[in-house]
Amino acid sequence: MSARLLAGCLSGSLLILSPLAQAVPKPTQSDAYTVQTVVTGLAHPWSLAFLPDGRMLVTERPGRLRIIGRDGKPGAPVAGIPTVFASGQGGLLDVALDPQYAQNRLIYLSYAEPGDKGVAGTAVARATLQEAGGHASLQQLKVIFRQQPKVSGDNHFGSRLAFARDGTLFVTLGERKQRDNAQQLGMTLGKVVRIAPDGSVPADNPFKAKSDALPQIWSYGHRNPQGAAINPADGQLWLVDHGARGGDEVNVVQAGRNYGWPVITYGRDYTWLKIGEGTAKPGMEQPRHHWDPSIAPSGMAFYTGQRYPGWKDSLLVGALKDRMLVRLALDGERIVGEERLLTDLEQRVRDVRQGPDGWVYLLTDADPGAVLRVVPR
């Protein structure tokens, strides 16, 4: 059976798929979960990271970083944030804690960085988070990565940060709506890059020895990956990538691989015109799963806790356009089922995180936006 045809059956709200299935019809809505509001009044919150004491760091796209107390009260904006290009999809994006945060208090931010004459590009900075007298600030801020080149426009910045088991940092980068450049190894549009925490290039990066490629590049052929997470089972990087009209993808991202955009895709242009050469081509990777029509996936997380029956080792993905949380059931690296949750929420889900308490937390992309906790009914 074609990889584009469904090959499963509906069992409750979980769709069971064959190993070849890539796209699935909408499963029955699950109504077993609801949400609790942790904090509201945020301006387009984009990313969430938990501090060791259970408080939360939340980025707001206009360019603010806030610490949310355990009581749900947001603090004043953290001082020292770099200047961001706050337009369209641009602004302050992801936040991540250094793996040794308890010792060094380093945090990492990805953001749309302005350039001369209206151009912009995704950048990553790191800084020490300091707190004193009820105030928080970033100290010793250093930009450790800049997307090359900066271009005009305010779409497709990416960008998620994910620390690998070896301490290196993955950064997902959109192609800034310059499709063909996702295939060009002399620039970092439409790429995943891998850098050391100080911004240097790891010795084993796949293109480091190639004179016609940028050494930071880990993989290429991506469109606008706004979700990334390390699979705790094996340490592999997974990401979700926005398609156009259809063609959203879940990929397991490996060194040096070409993920096809815009040469192959399961989607069409917003004009309904065909994009590229088809859905497959030798030398280009197939997604582990795709959505057609598009759900506009954003943040993602692997769930490892015990709070939700049947969720352990699932992949959770937020959806912007379809305003829901998607649970993908896994069998190793195969996606074997899909459950669509909170479809009555009617909120764009920008980020998904598992908290240290085992609950799942969501960010809603709105102004005002909120931090929500998912709980069984």
Side-chain angles (χ1 to χ4, degrees), residues 39-57:
V39 60
T40 190
L42 303 171
H44 295 287
W46 212 93
S47 179
L48 165 66
F50 285 91
L51 293 166
D53 61 7
R55 294 179 300 159
M56 293 177 280
L57 286 174

Side-chain angles (χ1 to χ4, degrees), residues 43-274:
H44 295 287
W46 212 93
S47 179
L48 165 66
F50 285 91
L51 293 166
D53 61 7
R55 294 179 300 159
M56 293 177 280
L57 286 174
V58 175
T59 61
E60 295 175 284
R61 203 171 68 229
R64 292 183 292 272
L65 175 68
R66 296 185 188 272
I67 299 175
I68 310 298
R70 290 184 294 273
D71 58 1
K73 293 183 179 179
V78 175
I81 300 300
T83 301
V84 306
F85 178 81
S87 177
Q89 296 173 0
L92 186 59
L93 305 175
D94 209 5
V95 58
L97 272 61
D98 190 276
Q100 305 301 318
Y101 177 83
Q103 289 75 46
N104 61 28
R105 296 188 66 83
L106 284 172
I107 69 167
Y108 298 74
L109 298 170
S110 69
Y111 60 101
E113 181 184 52
D116 295 334
K117 298 180 180 179
V119 299
T122 304
V124 179
R126 77 172 186 176
T128 303
L129 178 64
Q130 292 193 355
E131 298 181 75
H135 300 282
S137 64
L138 298 185
Q139 301 294 324
Q140 299 176 312
L141 186 137
K142 176 186 176 184
V143 178
I144 61 170
F145 173 81
R146 286 185 167 97
Q147 188 177 38
Q148 301 178 43
K150 286 183 170 68
V151 298
S152 61
D154 59 8
N155 292 315
H156 297 192
F157 291 94
S159 161
R160 292 290 174 182
L161 306 172
F163 276 99
R165 287 177 176 176
D166 64 3
T168 58
L169 177 62
F170 291 111
V171 185
T172 73
L173 302 165
E175 33 78 302
R176 301 288 283 109
K177 296 200 78 173
Q178 300 206 0
R179 291 176 178 174
D180 292 343
N181 287 333
Q183 291 291 318
Q184 304 304 314
L185 293 174
M187 57 186 66
T188 50
L189 304 178
K191 310 297 191 296
V192 173
V193 299
R194 176 178 178 252
I195 56 176
D198 63 358
S200 61
V201 179
D204 58 346
N205 267 15
F207 298 107
K208 188 168 184 180
K210 288 181 63 70
S211 61
D212 59 346
L214 294 180
Q216 300 96 332
I217 294 173
W218 180 257
S219 62
Y220 62 110
H222 303 289
R223 184 176 183 268
N224 190 24
Q226 290 190 347
I230 302 296
N231 188 336
D234 57 11
Q236 289 273 11
L237 174 68
W238 289 50
L239 64 74
V240 290
D241 198 353
H242 281 269
R245 191 182 291 276
D248 300 334
E249 295 184 356
V250 179
N251 286 301
V252 179
V253 183
Q254 297 178 319
R257 301 291 180 86
N258 182 352
Y259 289 82
W261 178 258
V263 181
I264 60 171
T265 176
Y266 283 86
R268 284 186 170 267
D269 201 347
Y270 296 111
T271 62
W272 292 104
L273 293 175
K274 180 181 177 181

